[in-house]
Amino acid sequence: MSFVQEFKAFALKGNVMDLAVGVIIGGAFGKIVDSVVGDLIMPLISKAFGGLDFSNYYLALAGQAAGLPLVEAKKLGAVFAYGSFITVALNFIILAFIIFIMVRQMNKLMAAAPAAPAETAVTPEEVVLLREIRDSLKNKA
């Protein structure tokens, strides 16, 4: 089997395509969660705590002047940006919670779904290949 054929067989397997779709949807879903956290949740938390803006919380490690925005402080040297970490950690917790709820709901739906009618057994691909090899060896003998 040539390299191109082997790659084509690999790339077109169902699992690889499912994974690719999952990664693409996951990336888009991640952007949605980033927006929910950055545009909806963090402003509410900021308002509740008197105007805190976690994204600009940092410790200057290169002698930057106090009170600079994080972007400006990073331009002047190293910073310990713990506010960004808080925001990303909150993103992760929300994303993990949403995925947990989705998986939980999918499991409930799968348990409630009636069993599919019995279908004829499909011979696994490995067995088909082994039979082809056996037949090929018989023909050569």
Side-chain angles (χ1 to χ4, degrees):
M1 182 179 265
S2 76
F3 179 79
V4 174
Q5 289 174 332
E6 191 174 347
F7 178 75
K8 182 179 174 184
F10 167 77
L12 296 179
K13 280 186 181 177
N15 293 344
V16 174
M17 296 304 284
D18 292 343
L19 179 61
V21 170
V23 167
I24 292 167
I25 290 174
F29 191 69
K31 288 180 182 179
I32 292 171
V33 171
D34 285 344
S35 176
V36 167
V37 171
D39 299 332
L40 302 177
I41 294 174
M42 293 307 281
L44 292 175
I45 291 174
S46 175
K47 182 76 172 171
F49 286 99
L52 295 176
D53 181 11
F54 290 112
S55 63
N56 279 320
Y57 279 28
Y58 65 91
L59 295 174
L61 300 176
Q64 296 92 330
L68 289 175
L70 179 61
V71 174
E72 295 298 321
K74 281 185 175 182
K75 288 179 184 176
L76 297 174
V79 295
F80 184 75
Y82 64 90
S84 295
F85 175 77
I86 291 171
T87 303
V88 170
L90 188 58
N91 281 358
F92 173 77
I93 291 168
I94 292 169
L95 183 61
F97 179 73
I98 291 170
I99 290 172
F100 168 74
I101 297 298
M102 288 174 45
V103 169
R104 186 172 180 227
Q105 191 62 34
M106 290 288 291
N107 288 340
K108 284 182 182 180
L109 291 173
M110 297 294 268
E119 297 180 16
T120 58
V122 177
T123 306
E125 184 179 352
E126 293 86 4
V127 173
V128 172
L129 290 173
L130 287 171
R131 287 180 183 163
E132 288 176 7
I133 292 169
R134 179 197 61 200
D135 294 344
S136 176
L137 289 173
K138 280 183 183 179
N139 291 338
K140 288 183 180 181

